[in-house]
Amino acid sequence: MCIGLSGLAGASAVVVRKNRGLIDNSQALGLSKRDFEIASQAPLKRYAAAKGLIYGAATVSDFLISDADFKASFARECGILVPENELKWDSVRPAPDRFEFTKSDWLAGFARTQGMLFRGHTLVWHQQLPKWFREVVNRQNAEKFLVEHITTVTKRYAGQMHSWDVVNEAIEPNDGQSNALRKSPWLEFLGPDYIELAFRVASAVDPKTMLVYNENDLEYDTPNQAKRTAVLKLLERLKARGTPIHALGIQSHLRGEETALNLKKLRSFLSDVASMGLKILITELDVSDQKLPSDPAVRDRIIAACYEDYLSVVLDERAVIAVLTWGLSDRHTWYSMFSPRSDGIGVRPLTLDSNLKPKLAWNAMARAFDQAQKR
Ligand code: XIL
């Protein structure tokens, strides 16, 4: 579990989850595979679908194109695909007056031929903006750029998108702005109403797709309680103004060494979101192992327990309709670059290992789906 790893240096005291109860198991490292046992090796998408849930993952078009084995695993396991980078501004907008959809179109086509759902990420974000952005966009023209961008991109996939992350990571309490809004270029140029505007434009173009506000760092109790509160206030404000918003996306980049996962507080946050009539999607689940011991078997048990603990709480909330991992296999994960280990050994944040074999985390996920209530 992500709790109680303080004794990890000696690799003895790990708190793991077992059948919906937290147990302090000092023999955790001796856990057998039985602790994560599952009934069958049906694909994760089937475990999820049996409960009315959607399972899938983010990936990069080049991985699918160049790696046939990975492509086959992806098609087998996933019921939904989200482009990891191909729909971000720096991908679709190489120049102020030019849109480039080759890669995202390829992914949309792949999803379609495999019978997968397709989701969009992301229309408004402060990161992965093109190089030209700062030179060209300013207070005077920002609204024109934003509206034009959202209109063009959502139109391209109108009727094909299961859901869109309309705005990503707009809250950052540490930035000291009113309503805890992040000091992003969008806030700087357009003021706080850019969020509502983005949802309204997306809805006008593709009224049937699910419009999502996506956010990071909502999973742990500390220091993120302020962020949860600010997100709830933002959602309340948007709802009160009749903004077409349908769901909250909780990114869920978990940390294997984290000790501050308060299951009760997380559960009540989810209920608060659901009580506004919003759905919830787990949009970017993975577990970083940068600070875990080097032994892969030890890491795999801890990571699996993180998956199972987290999902058991999250799936207990019936407003949660989908779970996506940020990648599928340790062969292709953003953490190889963004959160590498100092010992140089490969990271293991996902459910399939780098040989595309299911790990304990895969079993944990299958079990979490299996134990979820039917939607
Ligand atoms: C990451 C991608 O995985 C990387 O390939 C890219 O270089 C940087 O962005 N939160 C998000 C995602 O919303 O878009 C980020 O994706 C991971 C964190």
Side-chain angles (χ1 to χ4, degrees):
M1 168 61 214
C2 305
I3 295 176
L5 297 182
S6 48
L8 257 186
S12 58
V14 181
V15 178
V16 294
R17 178 183 169 74
K18 207 175 172 190
N19 297 330
R20 292 188 164 259
L22 289 177
I23 56 164
D24 186 350
N25 188 339
S26 56
Q27 261 94 52
L29 298 175
L31 274 177
S32 71
K33 278 198 172 174
R34 227 182 25 224
D35 289 290
F36 297 96
E37 218 164 57
I38 43 144
S40 80
Q41 292 271 328
L44 287 175
K45 67 180 175 195
R46 286 231 198 99
Y47 274 97
K51 299 303 170 76
L53 287 158
I54 302 165
Y55 167 73
T59 196
V60 171
S61 53
D62 294 346
F63 301 158
L64 294 172
I65 291 166
S66 66
D67 185 343
D69 293 340
F70 176 71
K71 185 180 176 186
S73 294
F74 202 94
R76 178 187 138 88
E77 298 290 343
C78 296
I80 189 166
L81 182 159
V82 62
E84 192 166 327
N85 289 309
E86 288 83 343
L87 283 169
K88 293 172 181 172
W89 273 67
D90 62 357
S91 296
V92 281
R93 213 129 183 214
D97 55 355
R98 197 158 67 81
F99 285 84
E100 171 56 61
F101 290 112
T102 310
K103 291 187 170 185
S104 47
D105 282 358
W106 190 92
L107 286 168
F110 173 74
R112 197 168 43 245
T113 54
Q114 297 297 330
M116 285 177 204
L117 299 168
F118 190 51
R119 75 181 304 268
H121 173 85
T122 174
L123 296 167
V124 188
W125 195 24
H126 61 287
Q127 287 187 26
Q128 290 183 267
L129 291 166
K131 285 208 179 71
W132 55 262
F133 186 87
R134 274 286 173 189
E135 288 148 32
V136 175
V137 182
N138 53 46
R139 268 175 219 270
Q140 284 68 45
N141 63 17
E143 184 168 333
K144 175 185 99 50
F145 269 99
L146 187 74
V147 171
E148 177 189 54
H149 184 86
I150 296 175
T151 306
T152 309
V153 180
T154 52
K155 206 178 254 173
R156 182 92 181 176
Y157 301 104
Q160 296 178 51
M161 281 292 182
H162 165 269
S163 49
W164 257 114
D165 288 338
V166 179
V167 178
N168 194 29
E169 301 177 357
I171 298 287
E172 177 46 75
N174 296 328
D175 279 0
Q177 303 295 298
S178 70
N179 296 327
L181 289 175
R182 181 185 293 278
K183 236 174 146 183
S184 79
W186 299 114
L187 183 70
E188 185 188 326
F189 294 149
L190 295 174
D193 289 344
Y194 81 88
I195 299 176
E196 186 177 342
L197 174 69
F199 278 91
R200 289 197 184 283
V201 175
S203 169
V205 178
D206 192 359
K208 292 217 173 109
T209 193
M210 183 182 292
L211 301 180
V212 182
Y213 173 71
N214 197 46
E215 188 55 272
N216 66 5
D217 283 341
L218 293 172
E219 303 77 21
Y220 296 109
D221 191 30
T222 45
N224 303 321
Q225 200 56 41
K227 191 158 194 178
R228 285 183 187 157
T229 306
V231 166
L232 289 174
K233 285 200 176 133
L234 170 66
L235 298 174
E236 270 160 22
R237 275 199 308 276
L238 291 172
K239 289 289 283 180
R241 294 166 66 100
T243 314
I245 175 170
H246 310 115
L248 172 67
I250 302 180
Q251 290 188 7
S252 312
H253 294 292
L254 305 182
R255 295 181 290 271
E257 79 286 1
E258 187 59 66
T259 57
L261 182 62
N262 181 319
L263 305 180
K264 257 192 168 166
K265 284 193 181 165
L266 175 62
R267 186 68 192 82
S268 90
F269 172 69
L270 299 170
S271 300
D272 289 345
V273 175
S275 69
M276 285 183 232
L278 294 168
K279 299 291 185 202
I280 300 169
L281 288 81
I282 303 303
T283 49
E284 305 184 15
L285 179 60
D286 54 14
V287 179
S288 80
D289 63 348
Q290 194 184 37
K291 297 191 178 141
L292 296 182
S294 55
D295 182 345
V298 174
R299 273 189 278 155
D300 282 359
R301 287 181 195 126
I302 295 168
I303 290 165
C306 282
Y307 270 95
E308 190 157 6
D309 257 3
Y310 184 70
L311 285 176
S312 67
V313 178
V314 157
L315 295 177
D316 191 47
E317 172 52 68
R318 291 172 72 94
V320 174
I321 57 159
V323 177
L324 288 98
T325 44
W326 204 243
L328 177 67
S329 151
D330 297 337
R331 187 182 283 191
H332 301 295
T333 159
W334 73 305
Y335 277 152
S336 306
M337 216 163 84
F338 280 81
S339 191
R341 295 175 55 82
S342 56
D343 57 16
I345 307 175
V347 294
R348 304 177 68 83
L350 292 163
T351 61
L352 302 185
D353 69 14
S354 55
N355 293 316
L356 305 171
K357 294 274 171 296
K359 300 187 301 181
L360 294 181
W362 190 99
N363 293 16
M365 205 155 178
R367 283 195 355 163
F369 286 138
D370 207 32
Q371 289 177 8
Q373 315 164 61
K374 203 165 167 31
R375 271 56 182 164

